[in-house]
Amino acid sequence: MEASRDPDRARKLVVALDGPGSSGKSSVGAAAALRVGYRFCDTGLLYRAVTWLALARNISTSHPHAVRGLVDEVDLLPDQAGRLSRVLVHGQDHTDEVRGPEVDVAVSVFAAIPELRLALLERQRVLAAAGGMVMAGRDIGTVVLPDADLKIFLVASVEERARRRTEERGLDPQGPEAAAILDALRRRDELDSTRPVAPLRAAADARIISTDGNRFEDTVDAVVNAIRDVEARLAADPDRDPDREPKPEPSGAGG
Ligand code: DC
């Protein structure tokens, strides 16, 4: 029993981590991946990189094939810990620009383009193929990696997410910028969850983790524990189909 919990003996999983904007997917996912020795990929960066490039080139969403063509120009670069957290365009680092406010406003509209989603699908699957990967996004558990060993969906109220983002940016919580952040998040939630292709939603077999009122470390612990739990179950039962995580209880694991 002891040996089955040895992380060195466990097969490294493919973990899908989804949730709305500013639910903490990137920071929580990166921290959890580091703790379990997995790679981490924030797929939102791919959508942001293409959006940034389209805005820079004046390519509008009414030219989906031109937008799709930009996919080959963007790359993600791992940092020393193996987290795919840097955006490269033709070898130049543009990570800061793709996180800027112009991209914030436009990215959901670009992310709704089916041709773009299709072009990024294969890229994301290739990145996850070797296992030992926490992949964060909106449709990872539902579309990109429907056979993931573990699916987690992070939820938090829009007010809490706006408050966190306001704090991250060092803004006055009562000021107009804070109100604009709340509005923008509401708008992105609406666009991301109502688009016809791969809308934001939890997979039926995802564990739901609510982060409202959680400390950052609590949420990281919840994700790490879920990964360890599935690793241990797979290691303990060699007869289990190693590619399938059993369906959790319908209520999910809770926060
Ligand atoms: O997580 P983020 O805010 O960086 O995501 C940016 C946008 O990309 C967001 O509008 C949703 C979209 N996105 C998506 O549609 N599918 C993903 N797998 C990741 C992000």
Side-chain angles (χ1 to χ4, degrees), residues 99-113:
R99 292 195 183 281
E102 293 84 10
V103 176
D104 270 353
V105 170
V107 64
S108 289
V109 185
F110 281 88
I113 299 175

Side-chain angles (χ1 to χ4, degrees), residues 17-23 25-26 42-48 51 98-99 103-104 106-112 117 120 124 135-140 144 165 185 188-189 191-192 195 197-200:
L17 178 62
D18 291 298
S22 293
S23 55
K25 295 180 306 288
S26 313
D42 174 4
T43 60
L45 285 178
L46 290 168
Y47 289 92
R48 286 176 175 273
T51 302
V98 310
R99 292 195 183 281
V103 176
D104 270 353
V107 64
S108 289
V109 185
F110 281 88
R117 303 202 69 82
L120 287 177
Q124 295 167 94
M135 183 165 271
R138 301 290 194 288
D139 61 337
I140 308 302
V144 179
R165 182 161 280 209
L185 268 181
R188 281 178 54 202
D189 281 357
L191 285 168
D192 292 343
R195 68 180 174 224
V197 181
L200 167 70

